[in-house]
Amino acid sequence: MNLLTIQIEKNIIQLANISKRGESIYINKMRRLFLPDNLKNGEFTSDTAAFSDFIDMVITKGKLSKGKAILLLGADCVIHREYTHEELKKSQLVSLAILEANAILPEDEGTFIVENQWYGSRHNKEGLQTSAIFAVNQEFITSLTNELKAKGIKLSGIFPTMVAHTDLIRKLLNYKISGLEFSDKTVAAIHLSPQETQVSLFHNRQLIHQRTDSLAVSEFYQAVATTFQLSADETESYINNNPESLKQVEEAASLMITTLIRSINIVSSVEGLRIDNILISGGTASIPGMAEFFTEVTEIPCSNIEQYKEALSKIVTLQGELKEHQEFYQRLVLLRGLDYKKRKELNFLTRGIQSRRRNRRTLTVCITVFILMVLVMAILPINYYIINKDIKRNKAIIASPEYVEIKNLLEEQRQMRAQVTAIDEEKASLPFGDSLVAHYLKILNTDLFNGATLNSITYKEDTGTFNVIVTGKDLDYFIMAKNKIDQEENLMVSLPLTFRKEEGLLRCEMTITVLPEKGEGE
């Protein structure tokens, strides 16, 4: 697997082509340049177009290969914070990390991708464990990824440089590389660089503390530049090529070492530990005599990572045009700090712990839906069997004589209901409401016998007479009713009237004849 690595340290960018075979990597080419003024001091995060153009220019002029790439980001664009906590489950630790991130991230600078690193199971003096959060602006990551992709550079990982250093030291402390040398020891590992110095503290091979220091080493190089009247670009190469000059800036070097170790001692004393060994790497560590000077100033045994070069050569080797430039080994060995293919955490391209949590939930839902679909599909053959069996049974029932007879009876019932409905419709259409009989019934009921109880009215069509039975209180009422009827031109009461007394009331039965309309012929 071939990779382009892009490492940014404040105002320096370093690009290298590496190839990975098994557990070893081979570094073939390297280009290291100062960033242009418009991209220095983190300005590249706000102008990704210009930054990607500069990277593309370096690759082209430096004759490096494009393709898959790994980006290592320094403290200018990565926010880092350590925090302590009780022993928690992974899901609980993720929730706590999100809360810690929300407490420190700026609210007016957009969305951040947050990653969490758990240091291990070790407890400090208060019985707490340690973790760290790393955060980077999401818009910067998205924009830079798209800009580089348009130029043929596909980012497959974006990591903090600090993590690369920590993982490199973890590999070095492993039994396979250093044996029992660092067993049960507290080791301060320092990657010295004039741009960004990475500091890590380990106890018994477990990480306790890590941070980036941007002042101590840079102040040392400023003293070198002032002493020998050099520009910033010339300082690092000058002191590396003239080791005797270290004696002339001994005071500045001593101050650098004292500052670094004092800050590490603050952490180790809180943890109740004492530094047993110092392990240095980086461009500044390649200055001849630097490890010995560390030991002299701190009175703590100091080793240079180059002392383990033979053991480390199993996992990192300079070849090609770099084979004759082993002085670059100290700067490039950091690139082996990450197992690019295996590491999924602390890769900002995975969009952080919140995104992964949402993705896991989405995956869980998808898996659940898939399982339910499989169960439904498994039930379908059973359902088909049951339905097919029902169809066969229904066909047998339909073909039976009993079913045919019932079907015929239902058809007859339907026809009879249709006939009844037709009769009801015909009956409803009869003009009874407009007939003379209806007219006279209304007169008798509402006008002539108003105030009495009309027991019954019977009309005989063949004789044209109404037989009326009425109940009233006294005889005068019936006489008045008879006179009213006689006053009607078309009605006549036939005498005699029949009376009967019932329960204190008079019951009268009379016959009323409907006379022909005037003007009708006989």
Side-chain angles (χ1 to χ4, degrees):
M1 179 178 65
N2 296 320
L3 280 172
L4 171 69
T5 62
I6 306 169
Q7 181 182 346
I8 306 164
E9 292 183 348
K10 201 171 183 179
N11 298 327
I12 295 284
I13 184 170
Q14 177 179 283
L15 293 89
N17 277 137
I18 70 171
S19 58
K20 187 174 185 299
R21 293 194 289 272
E23 292 298 319
S24 299
I25 70 165
Y26 300 86
I27 306 175
N28 307 309
K29 292 182 181 180
M30 185 270 287
R31 301 292 180 266
R32 183 179 173 89
L33 296 90
F34 277 92
L35 289 171
D37 290 341
N38 63 316
L39 300 177
K40 287 183 177 180
N41 301 315
E43 291 298 321
F44 60 86
T45 59
S46 57
D47 193 353
T48 55
F51 185 45
S52 61
D53 287 339
F54 179 72
I55 292 174
D56 187 49
M57 181 270 293
V58 174
I59 293 172
T60 302
K61 290 188 176 181
K63 298 180 180 180
L64 298 169
S65 300
K66 295 183 179 181
K68 286 187 177 181
I70 297 293
L71 180 63
L72 296 178
L73 296 176
D76 274 343
C77 54
V78 177
I79 298 173
H80 167 250
R81 177 181 177 178
E82 291 180 329
Y83 63 98
T84 56
H85 55 84
E86 295 180 353
E87 188 171 341
L88 300 171
K89 294 181 180 179
K90 186 175 181 181
S91 59
Q92 295 171 328
L93 183 57
V94 169
S95 299
L96 178 60
I98 294 171
L99 292 175
E100 290 287 338
N102 291 336
I104 65 167
L105 294 177
E107 296 180 358
D108 57 347
E109 294 185 17
T111 304
F112 282 79
I113 299 171
V114 178
E115 289 288 350
N116 187 68
Q117 183 183 25
W118 178 57
Y119 284 3
S121 58
R122 182 184 179 277
H123 294 77
N124 61 16
K125 289 195 301 185
E126 285 75 28
L128 301 175
Q129 295 180 347
T130 306
S131 294
I133 55 172
F134 297 86
V136 67
N137 186 276
Q138 181 173 312
E139 184 180 354
F140 162 65
I141 295 296
T142 302
S143 179
L144 182 61
T145 301
N146 293 334
E147 293 283 355
L148 291 176
K149 185 177 180 180
K151 300 181 185 305
I153 305 167
K154 183 181 179 181
L155 288 175
S156 57
I158 302 177
F159 304 95
T161 303
M162 184 187 302
V163 175
H165 173 250
T166 300
D167 283 6
L168 172 66
I169 301 304
R170 189 179 281 113
K171 287 181 174 66
L172 179 59
L173 298 180
N174 190 278
Y175 292 104
K176 296 179 181 179
I177 302 296
S178 56
L180 298 175
E181 181 178 355
F182 300 110
S183 181
D184 295 322
K185 298 289 184 66
T186 301
V187 179
I190 309 171
H191 186 79
L192 298 162
S193 168
Q195 302 296 321
E196 290 182 356
T197 295
Q198 308 298 332
V199 178
S200 300
L201 184 64
F202 287 81
H203 177 70
N204 197 22
R205 299 183 174 86
Q206 180 178 313
L207 179 64
I208 294 174
H209 168 70
Q210 59 182 341
R211 63 182 175 81
T212 299
D213 189 299
S214 301
L215 293 176
V217 181
S218 63
E219 289 177 352
F220 165 70
Y221 278 97
Q222 287 175 8
V224 174
T226 302
T227 302
F228 300 103
Q229 298 182 348
L230 302 170
S231 66
D233 297 356
E234 300 171 324
T235 306
E236 189 174 0
S237 60
Y238 176 84
I239 197 166
N240 279 76
N241 296 326
N242 299 276
E244 68 280 357
S245 61
L246 183 60
K247 293 182 179 180
Q248 296 177 254
V249 288
E250 188 174 295
E251 185 177 346
S254 178
L255 178 61
M256 171 190 72
I257 295 169
T258 303
T259 302
L260 289 171
I261 298 303
R262 184 188 296 121
S263 65
I264 299 172
N265 274 330
I266 292 173
V267 177
S268 63
S269 61
V270 171
E271 295 286 338
L273 302 171
R274 182 180 62 84
I275 299 175
D276 298 307
N277 296 88
I278 300 172
L279 184 61
I280 61 173
S281 60
T284 308
S286 63
I287 300 173
M290 182 58 75
E292 291 77 7
F293 195 61
F294 259 86
T295 301
E296 181 182 335
V297 173
T298 63
E299 298 182 350
I300 300 172
C302 179
S303 304
N304 193 311
I305 200 170
E306 197 158 0
Q307 295 176 220
Y308 305 92
K309 188 175 181 180
E310 183 177 350
L312 285 172
S313 64
K314 297 176 183 178
I315 58 174
V316 59
T317 304
L318 303 187
Q319 65 177 22
E321 66 180 44
L322 294 176
K323 192 173 184 180
E324 303 301 323
H325 294 277
Q326 295 299 314
E327 67 272 15
F328 295 144
Y329 181 83
Q330 290 277 18
R331 295 172 181 165
L332 295 169
V333 72
L334 187 67
L335 298 180
R336 190 54 186 92
L338 291 174
D339 194 339
Y340 309 118
K341 194 172 183 180
K342 294 181 180 179
R343 176 175 280 281
K344 294 181 180 179
E345 296 180 352
L346 300 175
N347 182 354
F348 291 122
L349 281 185
T350 62
R351 301 297 169 182
I353 52 180
Q354 289 175 293
S355 176
R356 287 199 294 276
R357 172 183 277 184
R358 288 193 296 267
N359 291 342
R360 283 194 296 271
R361 288 175 179 172
T362 302
L363 182 61
T364 301
V365 171
C366 291
I367 291 173
T368 303
V369 171
F370 175 75
I371 292 172
L372 292 175
M373 288 178 62
V374 170
L375 291 175
V376 170
M377 293 175 68
I379 294 171
L380 285 177
I382 300 173
N383 190 43
Y384 172 78
Y385 171 77
I386 295 172
I387 292 173
N388 189 49
K389 194 172 181 180
D390 287 343
I391 290 172
K392 289 180 179 179
R393 185 172 61 252
N394 291 339
K395 284 182 177 179
I397 292 172
I398 291 171
S400 66
E402 294 84 358
Y403 180 84
V404 173
E405 185 177 353
I406 292 171
K407 184 177 179 182
N408 292 334
L409 288 173
L410 290 173
E411 179 61 25
E412 289 179 9
Q413 185 187 47
R414 186 191 66 78
Q415 292 176 358
M416 291 178 67
R417 285 180 176 175
Q419 291 173 0
V420 171
T421 301
I423 292 171
D424 289 342
E425 290 176 353
E426 184 179 359
K427 183 179 179 181
S429 66
L430 291 174
F432 177 77
D434 297 329
S435 66
L436 285 174
V437 175
H439 171 71
Y440 289 128
L441 284 172
K442 180 179 179 183
I443 291 174
L444 291 173
N445 187 39
T446 60
D447 296 340
L448 301 180
F449 294 108
N450 186 20
T453 302
L454 193 60
N455 296 83
S456 67
I457 298 178
T458 305
Y459 178 71
K460 295 181 179 180
E461 189 176 0
D462 55 340
T463 60
T465 59
F466 288 98
N467 186 40
V468 181
I469 299 175
V470 185
T471 301
K473 294 181 179 181
D474 52 41
L475 183 62
D476 293 339
Y477 172 80
F478 297 109
I479 295 172
M480 290 176 62
K482 173 187 176 299
N483 294 335
K484 283 183 180 181
I485 294 171
D486 288 340
Q487 290 175 5
E488 290 287 333
E489 294 181 354
N490 298 319
L491 298 175
M492 181 184 70
V493 179
S494 299
L495 298 174
L497 302 179
T498 304
F499 291 94
R500 184 184 303 168
K501 194 168 185 178
E502 293 181 353
E503 297 179 358
L505 296 175
L506 289 177
R507 175 187 174 95
C508 176
E509 183 176 345
M510 66 178 68
T511 300
I512 302 171
T513 303
V514 179
L515 301 176
E517 293 283 343
K518 286 185 178 183
E520 288 186 359
E522 292 296 327

